[in-house]
Each structure stands twice: as structure tokens, then as C-alpha cells.
Amino acid sequence: MLRAAMTGAARSLARNAASVQPARTFTIAAVASAGSSSSAAAAHDDEEGGSFARGLFSGRIRESQVFPFPAATILNEEAKSTLQMLVDPCAKFFETVNDPAKNDETASISKEAWDGLKEMGAFGLQVPEELGGLGLTNTGYARLVEIVGMHDLGVGIALGAHQSIGFKGITLFGTKEQKAKYLPKLAAGENIAAFALTEPSSGSDANSIRSRAKLSADGKHWVLNGSKIWISNGGIAEIFTVFAQTQVPDRKTGELKDKVTAFIVERSFGGLTNGKPENKMGIKCSNTAEVYFDDVKIPVENVLGQVGEGFKVAMAILNNGRFGMGAALSGTMKAMLAKSAEHAINRTQFGSKIKEFGMIKEKFAQMALKIYATESMAYTLAANMDRGSNDYQIEAAISKVFASEAAWSVADEALQVMGGIGFMKAAGFERVVRDLRIFRIFEGANEILRMFIALTGIQDAGKDLKEVQAALKSPISNFGVLSQEATKRIKRIVGVGHDTIKGVHPLLRGPAGLVESQATAFGAAVDSLLITHGRKIIDQQLKLKRVADAAIDLYASVAVLSRATHALNSGAATADQEVLLATTFCEDAHRRIRRNIASLNGKTTDGSYARIADSIFEKGSYDISHPIGF
Amino acid sequence: MRVIVGVKRVVDFAIKARVKADKTGVVTEGVKHSMNPFDEIALEQGIRLKESGAVKEVIAVSCGPTACQETLRTALAMGADRAIHVPVEGAAYETLQPLAVAKIFKKLAEDNQANLVLFGKQAIDDDANQTAQLTSALLNWPQGAFAAKLSVEGGSKVKVVREIDGGLETIELNLPAVVSADLRLAEPRYASLANIMKAKKKPLDKKTPEELGVDIKPRIKTLSVEEPPVRKAGIKVENVDGLLQKLRTEAGVTF
């Protein structure tokens, strides 16, 4: 599946091979930015502000989206106390009413829990209050889904598929009428929503969907045919956000072309059916099913966004929906850590509590570092979205990749600490491990997201670089016309210092220095990649992967520095521990970044890897003579 | 019919209390607080009476620092119609005693023409178990303390069932009356997230003790608050003989 997905992406990438050019049309299926990539509309997206991660690719440290720690100031006192009041009842519900083991066992959510969730208001966390929801900000949503993630990821997916993507399109793009018609019942949980994009032949490459809607002769309906697979809530939803090809006249030539359009489809329209619930590895209690459309008549007023703009709609929903994952998974990790820490503190082997052993300590330290970074990024992202930033796609992708891999490793190590007990179903670890596995696959496979992180960043760097290169041909006459960005780039290239993190607390100057030097090195490495490969960089997947990994580590480092700085400045009780966590994270990250950058230009086994893989694909198996000859 | 319910903000029941260094009380700063569990039960019963149609309005009252408004918001989220915060800050709050609180409730009951005043039987922080009884005496209203069941009979009486040694006692009180809730009166509901949001719009008034004309000066002086003595570790004896010997020599048991 993954291979198919990657091939799909490569095709899509190739289609848009101009991506390292300043052109703004660059798209990567399923994860690309939704047209807002460089619009830089909001107050925090100005030249010196703007996406922190985007700036990194030009070797810049743009502090304004990270310092001071955005999550610390995003809630006013009233919002804070309201949110605080929501936390307890939500946690109590999951501790007393919902039974994750039973949900897993029966592959369904108990009626009691489902009704409880409805009564609680959990189906409309971000729907405006006047339409029957709780009207929470992204930060508020993140805080509550963290509790869900602590207890039951299956329930989390049912709720997330409903509101984080299922009807997110209505809240983002819906007309006033569409919102008034659909949101109240969706917020009450009376109607469940689903997001229907994926098809058998179209996974990560979302532009290649085959479902098709044709305008009826009288122009009043779109008639939809096709099928979707792996649709979360597909078997229980009443309202679907569906993506299908439509014939749209080209603006210039008038020639009809296939373009994706988004529709709000009600099950009650008729012609919509679903397959039986999929039997999955994890998140079993959430419903996943195929959905079929057989001449479904959709009123024209149910187009979501503009006809032909469906791809943009899909990507905006996915980008917007991604932020909750980091928060949910930080909850999962904290729960895992707490359970295994209890064991480590009490379990005696070889005459000592196992917490005394170095290898056990190492595991817990690494768990804590991963949680600290995941939380720092998730809440920075949510806060930036709350204050109106539109330029957060790279950060959202980074947060998703980091969180899903951190959670996988934390759950795995927590289980390891438990030893044999962890392997037993009753201990509750194996369920979480199974539940977590999907997070690296869905909502943009991590491989695709790495490509997205690297290419989106490189795209901007490429634009600047072109300017720089042109200017360098006749530097004197051109210097005045260079953008500030390009000027700084030239200064850096000729070795006149690098950006510093100004907002960092003096106690964190050491680790901040590591980040600064690596940010500069990273920018230079990106330049060098562009100069060497030009637009063919798209074919250098392993190089792009290292670029993405370095970007992830750099962003995470700055996020933890910002959070620890805030802890120091606000006199937080845990400030000392946070300094230790942030410093250690930056030191570890520094080593990883250095290694990744070094191997961009240095000797690697990438070529050998490709040859080994090719020989496997040729045979379709591991066809090597057996050690004992047969 | 109108009900006033007292809801005290106390250190959460799950928190292990720590005595302050100067031994004047327990540490409350930075410690999680919530509504006194017995008050929660009383409030639940008040809300149920309202839902059954016997009561028109439920007013939640809390005396103490600004943070008490969070407790009141919880009460509103659970279903109280409005709330009154009686602000008492700092040193005055540390020495706020049941008699002063009872006087406050007396005045509020009169001003708001309440027919019934409900309390938890005691607060889990000072365990005083006095406010309901004192309020009843000050108002000269009948009292039903430690109610395990409470129902409104017609418009002028309430029936209270009390769990007493050896059985149940049923008493009937003429309204207006004061009732305190025991553990089994009603199981409190969780406030739904939606109701928490709606509670923000319900009225929350402030009435200072001065406005109510109540003297809240303490009548009792706390000399010292001490940690309970730490239990010493036991010892294992080898056998029955060993046990018998210890009992004889150390516990002074004679056989």
C-alpha cells in the first residue's frame, strides 16, 4: 500500500515539477497546502513573522510564531477558567463511564458511552455556541482531545472523524445556510459526519479520485457515482463530505476539464449505501466502512466551496484537522508513561527496584523528552491557528509526524518496561499499541508528509535562491532590489553571522546556540541541494527525508526552548525540570540534525539501498540462497 | 417554591492535605479545589426537586474568595438557576466560621424569600457539621439533619428520611425548613460540557457580608493545626509463642 502511495505521490510531484520554482501551483496529493501557502494574510504571517518552519529552509529563525510561547498567552482568564471547568467532567466521564477494553473487545462504542458523549456535548466541540456547539478554540479542542487520547483512541477517532474532518468542511467553507442547516444536529451528535476522500485507487494521491458527479439536465442536481473506502464513521454517518471529479470549463480556453468538487451528501438523498464494518488492527470501536454512491442526487446548493475547488477544500480540512492529533497523542503517551512508571517504581528484580537500572531510566527519559516536544509543538500550533495564522501547514505536518512516531515509540517502550505483563491483554498496553499504529498511516502517511515538509520548504528557499543567484551575477547593481530575505541569505553565504533566538531565557542560551548554528547549516544545506539538483530534487527522496527530519528536529527544538523559557519567566513550579528537558532535547536533536545534514553531501549507502530494493522488486521476494543451501 | 443551596469550595477529596509550616491551617495554595461532596449531593437533590416541578428556583451560594465563583459556575452548570457569591478574602476567610456562615444564609434566605435551605451535612475540610443546624436555629425554622431522602409533600411540608442507628427515621417538617444532606440522598450528576458553557450566561451576583449586615468576626481561635501522628511500622513475630510473649511483656495483656 505504501509503495503504491509513494508512486502516486511521485506522479503527482512530477506533474508539478516546477515546484522548486516560485510558481505557487505546487501540490502534493493528500497533504499539499490549500492555496494559502504563501498568502501570508494574517498578522502573524508577515515578513519577519510567518511560518517558522518555512523560514528555516532559508536558514532563518523567525521567532514571532514561537516566542513568546504562544500557548501561554492564547487564553484570557475567562477562557482559561471555562476550559479548566470542562477538563474535569470530561476526564471523569472517561474514567467512569467509558470502558476502552470493552469497546475494543466488542468493536463498538457502548450505548451508554455514546449517549454520554452526546449529552456531554463532545460531538460539537468547535461548533459555534449559537449553533448548538461548545464554541471551543483550537487550543480548547486540543486540551479536551488530550483527555480522549489518554483513555480511548478508538473513541477519539469516532469523534475526530466526525468533527475534525467529517464536518470541518462545513465550518470552514460552508455557506450561512449550510451551517444553519447541518451544524446544530451534527453538534448534538444527532447526526454523525464522515469525510469521504479515499478510494481504492486513490490513497495519498487524492487528485486521482474516480468518483464522478454530473450536473443534471435541469441544472438542479449533481448526480454522484463512485465508491470510497476506509471511511471512518462510514457505516453510521448521515452527513458526508464527499469529493468527486466534475467537469469544469477552463477559465482561459473554455475547454472542459476534470476537477475535484466537494459536496455535502446526506444519506437520506438515497442511493448512498455502505459496506460492513472493516475488521481492523486497532481503533476497533470506531466504525470504518466502504461507502457507495449510486446515482445519488445532490442538490446544487450542497456544493461545498466552489465547483472545481474540491482539492483545496480537502487539503484545507486535512491541514486544519491535523493539529488535534499531537494533543491527543500527548495524552496517550502520558497515560502510558504513568502506567509503566508505577511498575518501574514498585517492581523488584535482582534485589533492586527496576527504576534503579540505567536502561530503564533511559527509557523514561526518552519518553518524557518525546512527550515534552509533542506537547510543545501541538499547543504552539493550536495557539497559532487561534490567533489567525494561515501559514501553518508545515508545522501541522511536523507535529503529526513527530507525535505519531513519538507515541509509537513511547507505547512500545512502556510495554517493554512492563515485560511479560505488558504482553498480556489485561494490562491494556497491547490495545494502545494496536490503536496507535494507524496514526503513522492515515491523515497523510508520514512518508508523504516528510516529502511535503521538505518540498514545501524548499519551494520557498528556491524562490529566494533564484533571486540571490541572479543578483550575484551583478551584485552591485542588484543589491538594492533584493528582498530582505535574499540580502540576509547573501550575508550568510559570505559568512556574516546567523540569526539568533532573541526571546530565549539566558539559562537556555547554550542549547539555543546549538539550534542557531544548525539552523544556519540547514539553510546552507538546502541551498546546496537546490544548486546541485535543481527541480530534480523531487527525485531525491532519501535526501528529502533527511531534510524533513532535520526540519522536524529544528522546529521541535525551538518549540521546547520557547516553552521552557516561558516556564522560567513565569516561575513555573516545574521550570527546573523543563530546562533539563529542553536542554537535553536540543542536545540530542543537535546530534541528529548534524548527522542528517552531513549525510546530505557525504557518503551514504542510499545508492546501495536502491539497488537492493530493485533486485527485490524484480523477483517480488527475498530471493537469496539459503544459509544452508536449500 | 425557592431553594437556597450552600456550596463550599474545599480542597479536593483526592488531595492529601498538608499542614502549613506555621501550623495555622493546611496548605491551600496551588492545590486542586472542588465543590464539597456533601454540598454536591444537596445541590443535586435541589435540582431534582426543581426537575420534578416541586421547586421553581434553585439558588447556589458560596462564601469565600473569588475562586468560589468557579464552584458556583459548576453549580450553575449542574442546574442551579442563579448564584450568589459572598466574597470573604484573605485572613477573614481563614477564620470564617460556621456561625458567621449561618448568619449569612439566614439573611440570604430572608432576602430571597427561600422556602428551603439545603446544605451538605458537613464540609470535608473542617468537618464542622454545624452550619445547617445553626442556620435553622437562627431562622427559627425546623431542621432535618442528615437526610437520606427528601420529598416535598404538598406545598407546605417536606418529608425527610434519616438513617439512624438501627433503622430509618421519617420526619415531616413544616416549610420553610433547613435540611442537610447525608451521603445517600442523591448521586450528583456530572455537568455536561454544553451546560458548563451555558452556565457562563446564568446570573452570578455578589453580596458582601457588609451589605448583608453580617458580622463575620471569628468566635473561636485556632491554636495549632498538627499532622496526625505517623503510624509506626509493626514487627513480625516468629511464632505464636513469640506473639504471646510480646503481648505479655509489651502490651501488658494478662492471660
Side-chain angles (χ1 to χ4, degrees):
Chain A
M1 194 51 230
L2 181 60
R3 196 165 71 88
M6 294 302 287
T7 321
R11 236 189 303 127
S12 181
L13 291 168
R15 268 207 301 276
N16 297 286
S19 62
V20 291
Q21 297 300 316
R24 292 292 172 219
T25 51
F26 158 60
T27 55
I28 301 179
V31 289
S33 57
S36 55
S37 61
S38 304
S39 54
H44 289 271
D45 294 350
D46 55 29
E47 167 79 2
E48 275 307 301
S51 158
F52 172 81
R54 203 180 278 281
L56 274 179
F57 285 82
S58 303
R60 300 294 313 280
I61 290 175
R62 296 178 185 158
E63 278 185 51
S64 78
Q65 276 203 355
V66 199
F67 279 93
F69 192 54
T73 50
I74 196 68
L75 298 172
N76 61 28
E77 280 310 312
E78 199 207 329
K80 207 181 262 179
S81 84
T82 307
L83 186 56
Q84 237 164 5
M85 282 188 67
L86 298 176
V87 165
D88 266 354
C90 188
K92 257 188 202 163
F93 171 84
F94 278 98
E95 281 155 21
T96 55
V97 181
N98 186 62
D99 181 348
K102 195 174 148 215
N103 288 349
D104 180 62
E105 184 90 24
T106 59
S108 66
I109 298 168
S110 74
K111 188 176 169 343
E112 197 194 0
W114 192 256
D115 290 345
L117 289 167
K118 273 189 203 174
E119 205 175 295
M120 206 163 55
F123 287 90
L125 297 176
Q126 292 193 272
V127 172
E129 283 185 75
E130 59 273 21
L131 292 174
L134 298 184
L136 291 181
T137 59
N138 294 307
T139 301
Y141 180 87
R143 185 64 187 85
L144 292 191
V145 296
E146 184 182 323
I147 299 167
V148 182
M150 258 179 188
H151 293 94
D152 194 334
L153 285 167
V155 168
I157 293 306
L159 291 174
H162 170 72
Q163 55 198 321
S164 186
I165 52 175
F167 68 75
K168 181 69 92 179
I170 302 180
T171 57
L172 290 180
F173 296 96
T175 62
K176 218 177 142 207
E177 293 73 27
Q178 287 169 340
K179 285 180 182 170
K181 181 173 180 192
Y182 291 111
L183 291 182
K185 281 188 177 177
L186 289 165
E190 213 173 304
N191 282 342
I192 299 303
F195 177 86
L197 174 66
T198 302
E199 299 185 2
S201 63
S202 168
S204 296
D205 179 10
N207 242 334
S208 69
I209 55 171
R210 290 182 190 166
S211 290
R212 179 168 296 281
K214 286 183 181 155
L215 200 57
S216 64
D218 60 5
K220 285 185 178 159
H221 290 92
W222 289 90
V223 180
L224 171 67
N225 280 288
S227 64
K228 301 284 179 180
I229 56 165
W230 303 331
I231 304 307
S232 290
N233 293 345
I236 58 171
E238 171 60 34
I239 309 296
F240 293 79
T241 302
V242 182
F243 300 87
Q245 300 288 356
T246 47
Q247 291 265 298
V248 181
D250 189 275
R251 258 185 228 138
K252 284 177 200 150
T253 63
E255 187 190 345
L256 286 178
K257 273 191 173 165
D258 272 356
K259 283 197 130 185
V260 177
T261 297
F263 299 94
I264 306 169
V265 180
E266 299 177 28
R267 189 181 284 269
S268 64
F269 288 165
L272 189 157
T273 51
N274 59 268
K276 61 175 199 283
E278 299 288 351
N279 189 1
K280 306 186 292 290
M281 172 181 178
I283 57 165
K284 279 167 173 278
C285 70
S286 70
N287 174 283
T288 311
E290 296 186 7
V291 179
Y292 316 109
F293 308 98
D294 184 13
D295 284 336
V296 178
K297 278 175 77 178
I298 309 165
V300 286
E301 61 268 23
N302 273 32
V303 168
L304 189 56
Q306 301 299 314
V307 171
E309 302 273 288
F311 187 76
K312 233 190 222 180
V313 172
M315 294 314 127
I317 293 171
L318 289 172
N319 276 325
N320 187 289
R322 213 160 268 144
F323 80 93
M325 221 181 281
L329 293 178
S330 71
T332 314
M333 289 189 270
K334 283 188 254 185
M336 291 286 98
L337 179 142
K339 277 173 85 170
S340 58
E342 195 194 341
H343 182 74
I345 291 164
N346 294 313
R347 170 79 166 173
T348 305
Q349 286 289 283
F350 307 106
S352 303
K353 300 290 182 195
I354 64 170
K355 72 177 168 103
E356 302 299 334
F357 299 133
M359 280 195 267
I360 298 290
K361 287 186 184 182
E362 181 194 33
K363 289 185 200 303
F364 282 98
Q366 284 178 348
M367 285 188 227
L369 290 165
K370 285 182 166 133
I371 297 172
Y372 193 69
T374 303
E375 284 178 332
S376 304
M377 286 190 280
Y379 285 93
T380 297
L381 177 59
N384 278 329
M385 289 169 74
D386 281 337
R387 57 187 190 184
S389 166
N390 284 319
D391 192 3
Y392 57 79
Q393 298 85 334
I394 302 183
E395 284 84 351
I398 287 177
S399 170
K400 190 269 184 183
V401 170
F402 189 93
S404 58
E405 291 173 7
W408 177 252
S409 130
V410 166
D412 183 53
E413 288 289 44
L415 190 153
Q416 184 73 14
V417 168
M418 301 299 292
I421 299 168
F423 196 64
M424 300 300 134
K425 235 182 156 97
F429 286 81
E430 63 86 38
R431 171 179 54 79
V432 178
V433 169
R434 281 188 287 109
D435 286 348
L436 276 173
R437 190 59 188 82
I438 189 62
F439 285 79
R440 286 161 54 206
I441 301 172
F442 69 4
E443 293 221 35
N446 286 9
E447 288 74 11
I448 299 286
L449 287 176
R450 281 193 162 83
M451 295 280 280
F452 172 68
I453 292 163
L455 287 173
T456 312
I458 285 175
Q459 174 193 5
D460 265 21
K463 179 198 163 197
D464 288 340
L465 188 67
K466 256 185 89 181
E467 202 182 337
V468 172
Q469 285 173 318
L472 282 176
K473 282 178 192 158
S474 49
I476 309 294
S477 58
N478 272 314
F479 214 84
V481 303
L482 282 174
S483 71
Q484 199 183 3
E485 196 82 18
T487 314
K488 292 208 169 160
R489 171 95 56 121
I490 291 177
K491 282 189 183 161
R492 206 194 59 231
I493 290 170
V494 297
V496 192
H498 50 62
D499 280 6
T500 52
I501 307 174
K502 295 175 197 76
V504 79
H505 191 281
L507 278 176
L508 293 160
R509 190 86 283 290
L514 295 177
V515 176
E516 289 157 3
S517 66
Q518 286 310 318
T520 307
F522 179 71
V526 168
D527 282 358
S528 137
L529 273 184
L530 275 167
I531 291 164
T532 315
H533 298 284
R535 60 180 67 177
K536 288 205 169 122
I537 185 65
I538 277 175
D539 303 325
Q540 299 291 324
Q541 288 207 345
L542 296 192
K543 291 203 156 93
L544 291 172
K545 181 181 156 212
R546 292 185 189 107
V547 167
D549 283 338
I552 292 169
D553 264 331
L554 282 166
Y555 180 56
S557 298
V558 176
V560 298
L561 284 176
S562 173
R563 181 172 169 199
T565 293
H566 171 70
L568 284 166
N569 290 340
S570 65
T574 57
D576 290 350
Q577 284 155 273
E578 295 192 46
V579 169
L580 181 60
L581 283 168
T583 306
T584 312
F585 186 90
C586 288
E587 287 169 357
D588 284 352
H590 176 256
R591 273 189 289 276
R592 292 191 296 263
I593 298 164
R594 212 172 43 191
R595 200 167 53 235
N596 274 317
I597 293 177
S599 52
L600 279 176
N601 302 314
K603 221 169 139 160
T604 67
T605 49
D606 291 1
S608 309
Y609 277 18
R611 290 212 310 282
I612 293 169
D614 286 342
S615 76
I616 290 168
F617 297 141
E618 218 167 274
K619 308 263 174 52
S621 65
Y622 171 76
D623 191 18
I624 304 295
S625 61
H626 195 276
I628 60 168
F630 58 91
Chain B
M1 192 169 150
R2 185 173 289 129
V3 178
I4 287 184
V5 188
V7 291
K8 185 176 183 182
R9 176 176 178 269
V10 298
V11 171
D12 189 82
F13 72 92
I15 305 285
K16 191 179 177 295
R18 283 185 301 122
V19 172
K20 279 199 279 198
D22 64 3
K23 297 192 174 180
T24 56
V26 298
V27 178
T28 54
E29 228 162 279
V31 171
K32 188 184 172 195
H33 283 68
S34 47
M35 190 189 296
N36 175 39
F38 288 109
D39 294 346
E40 229 178 339
I41 295 170
L43 175 66
E44 173 66 33
Q45 184 61 28
I47 295 165
R48 287 187 193 183
L49 290 177
K50 189 193 166 193
E51 286 168 348
S52 73
V55 163
K56 279 274 172 301
E57 189 181 38
V58 177
I59 308 170
V61 176
S62 193
C63 311
T66 314
C68 287
Q69 293 185 9
E70 286 166 26
T71 310
L72 289 170
R73 291 280 173 217
T74 305
L76 293 170
M78 284 173 69
D81 297 287
R82 59 188 176 95
I84 300 170
H85 174 215
V86 181
V88 183
E89 306 276 348
Y93 179 62
E94 279 174 26
T95 57
L96 186 68
Q97 290 162 1
L99 180 61
V101 176
K103 287 178 183 169
I104 290 169
F105 274 88
K106 170 184 188 280
K107 190 70 178 33
L108 287 173
E110 289 167 349
D111 290 355
N112 291 282
Q113 291 154 343
N115 311 76
L116 182 63
V117 182
L118 289 174
F119 295 99
K121 68 170 179 181
Q122 68 197 66
I124 62 166
D125 50 0
D126 58 14
D127 280 335
N129 185 355
Q130 294 170 21
T131 307
Q133 295 89 330
L134 286 168
T135 307
S136 147
L138 291 171
L139 282 163
N140 202 19
W141 291 2
Q143 62 171 270
F146 318 133
K149 273 185 192 156
L150 168 64
S151 54
V152 178
E153 306 289 314
S156 61
K157 284 185 166 62
V158 287
K159 196 159 88 183
V160 172
V161 178
R162 310 171 69 235
E163 292 176 357
I164 55 166
D165 286 350
L168 299 173
E169 178 187 73
T170 304
I171 56 172
E172 209 170 56
L173 313 174
N174 287 325
L175 289 171
V178 177
V179 173
S180 75
D182 206 344
L183 186 65
R184 279 173 285 274
L185 179 60
E187 195 182 325
R189 67 194 65 193
Y190 300 126
S192 80
L193 306 187
N195 285 337
I196 291 171
M197 302 304 279
K198 282 182 200 139
K200 285 195 295 182
K201 299 195 183 76
K202 290 187 178 176
L204 193 160
D205 299 324
K206 254 193 199 179
K207 280 266 184 289
T208 63
E210 295 76 45
E211 283 168 336
L212 295 169
V214 175
D215 163 23
I216 58 165
K217 278 204 290 293
R219 304 294 197 269
I220 304 166
K221 194 175 162 199
T222 301
L223 299 176
S224 177
V225 176
E226 309 276 343
E227 294 269 4
V230 181
R231 185 180 167 273
K232 288 197 192 109
I235 50 160
K236 270 189 182 168
V237 291
E238 288 297 318
N239 48 36
V240 175
D241 287 342
L243 175 65
L244 288 174
Q245 183 180 348
K246 290 266 178 212
L247 286 173
R248 272 195 203 101
T249 56
E250 287 177 29
V253 180
T254 48
F255 299 98

